[in-house]
Amino acid sequence: MLAPTPNLTPRLLIRMGTAPKDKVAAIREAAQLLSAAGCIDPAYGESMLRREEVANTYLGHGVVIPHGMVDDRHLVRQSGLAVLQVPGGLEWHDGQTAHLIVAIAAQSDTHITVLRRLTRLIQDEARLERLRGTRRQEDIAEALTEDSAAPAASGSAADLSQRFDWTVDYPTGLHARPASHWVETARACAARIQVRHGSQAADAKNLIALLQLGLRCGDEVVISAEGDDEAGALAKMCAAVTGLSAGEKAAAQRAAEAAARAAGPVAGWNPADAPRVHPGIGASPGIAIGPVHVLAATEITVPDEPEPLTSGGDRLHAALAATADQLKALADDTERRLGKADAGIFKAQAELIADTDLITLACQLMVEGHGVAFAWDRAVERLAGQLSALGNPVLAGRAADLRDVGRRVLAQIDPALKSGHDLPDEPCILIAPDLAPSDTAGLDPARVIGLATAQGGPTSHTAILARTLGIPAMVAGGAALLGLANGTNAILDGATGRLYLDPSAGDVASAAAWRERQREKADEEARERALPARTRDGHVVAIGANVNNPEQVPFALDQGAEGVGLMRTEFLFLERGDTPGEDDQFETYRAMLRALDGRPLIVRTLDIGGDKQVAHLHLPREENPFLGVRGARLLLRRPDLMEPQLRALYRAARECVAPGAPTGKDAPLSIMMPMITSVPEVLRLREVCDRIRVEIGAPEVPLGIMIEVPAAAIQADALAQYCDFFSIGTNDLTQYALAIDRQNTDLAPEADSLHPAVLRLIHMTCEGAARHRRFVGVCGGIAGDPFGACLLAGLGVHELSMTPRDLPGVKARLRAVEMGELRALAARACAQEDAAAVRALDTAEIGGAA
Ligand code: PEP
Ligand code: MG
């Protein structure tokens, strides 16, 4: 049954219910159809057979696309498709069965259109299943022509049958976030939907086409629809388009307000010549002056390694699916941390890789015989190049997004193509979207003199690491940071969280002078850093450093540390791609003890979860990871992680801790459990420790717990019966007490550890500990703040452990005050209504800045 279908481009010839005896017979039959309809010279049929010899044209899901060699395109007289439906299936290649043979005779542009429809179709397995058995050729015709009239973002176009007119009122135009919402809405409708601006029109279901319209605020557009329930589709589009206006305006307003706030003076260094400023949140103090460098992945060469279309197609498919999963996880995570608006970045990126033009282009290149990675890379480059060539900054940003997400897919296709990061040789202020803690840990302070991230919060581990490394850092600077041109001169103030661009020579000189004065003050403090933190009335506060590896110990000791109050062992896991074994861990703990030469070391057992995700552990994703299986909860569920670590620690104790060595805060080795919430948890952990200690034949070492959740602070008296010491993790305690995710950029300014509610919890902890004569340390970030340290000492904390660089300043401040006044200060602080009121107590009387 042969049915030429008129008025369609390309011409569509469908033969239902065929049963060719083999592949060659099928190709000949299809070629004969095309030839009889005048689409091809009969010689093109031979070309199709030759192509099949060099490349398998099985596209996937029972669809094959025989077509001629590129060099034989001149044999095509008119674009046409010959479709053979093979309900019984035909063995095509290596166990692949063809049910729909779509022979293509087309010039390249038509070829892409056909492939786009086919790639769309092969994603719909249920429909393909129907097409295999249907007796209605209209079903097949419909499937292959559905978007035939959809215009691309070029050329003039008539509107579809129903329309509404709208003037773009998004202050920053139609950028990727709202555009992807339009696409989502349009795709949920069966009708065709088109957006036209002047003579340019785009399919509303195609993100790249929409973005190519380059719509700016004030542009007039016509949105029209045609087909199934066109009126309903148009109403949905209208609601989606206009519904975003308020949010877009509010976002622009927020950006304007932030910029206005940023223009005002701050406590600290201020420029005189009003340079452009990017406000963020101070994460690591200090001033850096130099050119900015926006972190971009290194150029990689993608080899062209042809492979059968089947396995290539499967690999591309799998890579796209894995990347989509990755982007979904990123979007979910970002939505939790930063809100819906920022998560939209990743949703838009997911739309980009689902773009049919892109997939088709890649498929076409593969069908032409290129390797999958090469074809994908080429396709991404071609489309990104088209977007950048339009000279519109919004679209240039999308091109960057497309390349970025393209790299993700590439790394999925072939892990060897994962791109690293390139840094210039000259020292620079590094700009990045965000950095994983392990990326930050790997930064070389000689080359990266400052760090500014678009996302992140001041108590994130990235910020903590930047302080450890002594790199001035600002976080939460917003996505606009990423658009800065490499080499732009800047001043980064990590104390106030501001990045000043193209500063005048005068401002550079004044910032350098300010930095010098700060250095002199630090030098003054440093001269006395080896002295104990003894208050003027003779009360000594123990001072430790937060250090994660033995190489950092000498620096910490040089800064005046009396021991290590917190070793975060999760970094042993984060910094490498696999789980360190018991022996590796033992070596590290022994090296730490040796480097400390008898001084106290508190090792915290693995604290994984929350923002410290270890990819290679493949832990299940959680909706609320900070409220999920993290810290001690994970340890108790994963003896395979906890027990080797405890064995390594007790082996180190057996070797380095003499029997009868001091206990309490002077013990050479203490073990500490993270994120404890209840007494039973402590009892279970103790039991495991005791069992392993006996097995190893190690001496007893103090076992402590972290107080990081309000429940533990409130029950401190109960918990104190079962452990030897407490260390308060104020970063987490603040997060849980104030219900502010420590990575939430919007709420970061409110996540102040000096909030009176947090101070009262610390006070309760000290009281609970005192009842059982336990010592209390603090190892959260506020311990390294000189004023915070004064309050903590006044609340009854015995030991403060901090980033080594904070040591001299804290010691100097404590040495300048009396414990009596600190106790009174702490009592006053607990009685305040908010954190701002507490900070206002930082006056010259207690050695503050006034
Ligand atoms: C804390 O929560 O304050 C703490 C020291 O632990 P971490 O920052 O590693 O979660
Ligand atoms: Mg913590």
Side-chain angles (χ1 to χ4, degrees), residues 138-393:
E138 297 89 313
D139 290 348
I140 293 180
E142 245 168 53
L144 292 175
T145 55
E146 228 154 38
D147 65 348
S148 57
S154 60
S156 62
D159 297 322
L160 305 177
S161 59
Q162 298 221 22
R163 61 181 263 175
F164 77 89
D165 296 14
W166 183 67
T167 304
V168 179
D169 64 354
Y170 305 163
T172 45
L174 183 67
H175 55 98
R177 235 170 14 222
S180 64
H181 186 59
W182 288 22
V183 170
E184 245 171 57
T185 310
R187 286 195 186 156
C189 303
R192 277 178 50 216
I193 304 175
Q194 173 185 284
V195 179
R196 181 175 63 78
H197 171 50
S199 61
Q200 304 288 303
D203 176 358
K205 298 179 182 179
N206 180 326
L207 183 67
I208 291 179
L210 265 187
L211 289 170
Q212 279 176 337
L213 291 175
L215 296 178
R216 294 164 194 258
C217 191
D219 283 348
E220 291 179 356
V221 294
V222 177
I223 300 177
S224 57
E226 192 166 297
D228 263 13
D229 190 20
E230 57 195 33
L234 210 54
K236 279 186 196 138
M237 277 307 284
C238 182
V241 166
T242 54
L244 289 175
S245 297
E248 286 296 304
K249 286 177 191 159
Q253 174 75 14
R254 277 200 304 275
E257 281 168 10
R261 265 201 314 278
V266 280
W269 178 75
N270 280 291
D273 294 330
R276 265 192 306 149
V277 53
H278 269 281
I281 297 170
S284 171
I287 284 198
I289 304 171
V292 302
H293 179 81
V294 182
L295 198 63
T298 36
E299 284 302 315
I300 39 168
T301 311
V302 181
D304 191 2
E305 287 161 354
E307 69 176 277
L309 198 55
T310 342
S311 61
D314 287 351
R315 287 213 294 141
L316 180 60
H317 191 265
L320 288 169
T323 309
D325 283 353
Q326 223 180 44
L327 290 169
K328 164 105 183 47
L330 259 172
D332 288 351
D333 186 47
T334 309
E335 185 165 329
R336 264 198 319 277
R337 292 191 292 119
L338 306 174
K340 266 195 165 32
D342 286 280
I345 298 168
F346 299 109
K347 288 188 178 151
Q349 285 202 346
E351 287 292 346
L352 286 175
I353 55 159
D355 187 272
T356 47
D357 280 347
L358 180 61
I359 296 174
T360 302
L361 197 47
C363 287
Q364 191 199 20
L365 289 161
M366 284 159 59
V367 171
E368 282 177 6
H370 294 291
V372 55
F374 182 88
W376 172 257
D377 192 50
R378 269 287 174 82
V380 166
E381 256 324 299
R382 221 179 268 177
L383 282 181
Q386 280 169 18
L387 285 171
S388 334
L390 295 171
N392 172 325

Side-chain angles (χ1 to χ4, degrees), residues 473-655:
M474 155 185 137
V475 294
L481 274 183
L482 306 173
L484 294 179
N486 280 347
T488 307
N489 282 325
I491 299 172
L492 172 70
D493 186 344
T496 57
R498 288 174 165 209
L499 183 72
Y500 302 97
L501 299 169
D502 294 318
S504 66
D507 280 341
V508 168
S510 113
W514 170 275
R515 183 171 59 185
E516 201 39 49
R517 281 200 300 283
Q518 296 299 108
R519 271 193 194 139
E520 279 163 19
K521 185 168 169 253
D523 284 351
E524 225 175 274
E525 292 169 355
R527 274 193 287 280
E528 304 214 317
R529 64 186 188 266
L531 298 173
R534 189 192 305 276
T535 58
R536 286 207 316 264
D537 51 350
H539 189 100
V540 176
V541 180
I543 300 288
N546 295 350
V547 159
N548 304 328
N549 64 55
E551 294 85 66
Q552 292 170 346
V553 169
F555 176 72
L557 296 180
D558 180 64
Q559 292 300 297
E562 294 153 7
V564 166
L566 172 65
M567 175 185 180
R568 290 177 164 102
T569 56
E570 50 278 6
F571 286 95
L572 302 177
F573 288 64
L574 287 167
E575 282 163 12
R576 45 190 280 167
D578 57 0
T579 301
E582 179 186 321
D583 288 347
D584 280 357
Q585 291 193 57
F586 163 68
E587 296 292 346
T588 307
Y589 305 138
R590 183 172 60 176
M592 281 292 282
L593 285 163
R594 286 183 176 164
L596 282 162
D597 196 19
R599 296 176 186 86
L601 166 66
I602 301 179
V603 179
R604 181 174 74 185
T605 53
L606 260 185
D607 182 18
I608 302 267
D611 59 339
K612 286 172 282 192
Q613 295 295 338
V614 180
H616 59 85
L617 291 181
H618 303 296
L619 298 172
R621 272 197 64 248
E622 295 178 300
E623 275 301 311
N624 280 305
F626 278 116
L627 301 183
V629 180
R630 68 168 288 211
R633 296 171 182 169
L634 180 75
L635 292 173
L636 286 167
R637 282 166 177 76
R638 290 291 300 267
D640 59 313
L641 294 174
M642 171 166 69
E643 298 200 1
Q645 179 168 42
L646 288 176
R647 271 198 299 277
L649 280 164
Y650 280 112
R651 276 169 61 191
R654 186 180 59 193
E655 191 168 313

Side-chain angles (χ1 to χ4, degrees), residues 602 663-666 682-683 686 700-705 707 715-728 762-778 795-799:
I602 301 179
T663 54
K665 72 182 171 56
D666 297 321
V682 179
L683 294 177
R686 274 210 91 105
E700 282 199 42
V701 301
L703 287 182
I705 62 170
I707 303 289
Q715 268 200 303
D717 56 343
L719 290 163
Q721 299 172 84
Y722 306 105
C723 56
D724 301 306
F725 66 94
F726 291 158
S727 185
I728 306 175
I762 296 172
H763 185 55
M764 290 178 88
T765 306
C766 293
E767 281 187 334
R771 243 175 260 168
H772 299 276
R773 299 174 165 274
R774 306 294 185 228
F775 94 88
V776 182
V778 171
L795 286 167
V797 166
H798 306 111
E799 183 230 28

